[in-house]
């Protein structure tokens, strides 16, 4: 529901399809390529305080990688949620996000 609202706000759409051995999430919208000669320096970038990182993936390996990526980005452990072991995780993510807000 949240992903669909975001997609529509960007003039696009998204869909999720569950198969026995995989889950397919698709997102489509038009985007304008921005090409610039100016290089942006991200060396001092820090994730803003109170940032939440929420990921859903049905692959244990991907969940582990996402956890490491969030750690590298500096997301505090208490603001990091990685779910997807159960199919119900996908259906209950809206409730999870509303509770965080």
């Amino acid at each position: 529901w949240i992903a669909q609202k975001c997609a529509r706000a960007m003039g696009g759409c998204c869909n999720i399809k569950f198969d026995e051995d995989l889950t397919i999430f698709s997102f489509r919208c038009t985007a304008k390529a921005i090409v610039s000669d100016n290089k942006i320096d991200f060396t001092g970038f820090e994730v803003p305080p109170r940032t939440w990182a929420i990921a859903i993936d049905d692959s244990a390996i991907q969940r582990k990688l996402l956890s490491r990526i969030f750690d590298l980005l500096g997301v505090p452990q208490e603001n990091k949620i990685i779910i997807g072991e159960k199919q119900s995780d996908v259906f209950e993510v809206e409730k999870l996000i509303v509770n965080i807000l």
Side-chain angles (χ1 to χ4, degrees), residues 27-55:
F27 171 81
R28 292 176 187 243
C29 74
T30 56
K32 181 179 175 183
I34 298 174
V35 179
S36 174
D37 293 333
N38 300 330
K39 300 288 183 191
I40 300 172
D41 182 14
F42 291 105
T43 54
F45 175 80
E46 292 182 11
V47 172
R50 298 178 10 182
T51 295
W52 280 83
I54 303 171

Side-chain angles (χ1 to χ4, degrees), residues 8-68:
R8 285 186 185 143
M10 296 172 63
C13 63
C14 68
N15 192 10
I16 190 163
K17 180 182 175 191
F18 298 101
D19 287 335
E20 189 173 318
D21 57 343
L22 70 120
T23 303
I24 301 170
F25 177 82
S26 62
F27 171 81
R28 292 176 187 243
C29 74
T30 56
K32 181 179 175 183
I34 298 174
V35 179
S36 174
D37 293 333
N38 300 330
K39 300 288 183 191
I40 300 172
D41 182 14
F42 291 105
T43 54
F45 175 80
E46 292 182 11
V47 172
R50 298 178 10 182
T51 295
W52 280 83
I54 303 171
I56 308 169
D57 203 298
D58 59 352
S59 164
I61 293 170
Q62 293 287 35
R63 288 192 302 273
K64 192 170 191 170
L65 287 171
L66 286 163
S67 180
R68 288 183 183 169

Side-chain angles (χ1 to χ4, degrees), residues 35-100:
V35 179
S36 174
D37 293 333
N38 300 330
K39 300 288 183 191
I40 300 172
D41 182 14
F42 291 105
T43 54
F45 175 80
E46 292 182 11
V47 172
R50 298 178 10 182
T51 295
W52 280 83
I54 303 171
I56 308 169
D57 203 298
D58 59 352
S59 164
I61 293 170
Q62 293 287 35
R63 288 192 302 273
K64 192 170 191 170
L65 287 171
L66 286 163
S67 180
R68 288 183 183 169
I69 290 167
F70 293 159
D71 288 342
L72 290 170
L73 289 171
V75 176
Q77 189 68 30
E78 62 272 12
N79 292 9
K80 183 171 71 167
I81 298 174
I82 301 171
I83 57 175
E85 293 179 59
K86 306 175 299 250
Q87 187 175 9
S88 63
D89 287 345
V90 174
F91 294 111
E92 296 173 5
V93 72
E94 177 184 352
K95 190 185 314 177
L96 174 73
I97 293 170
V98 168
N99 287 336
I100 291 169

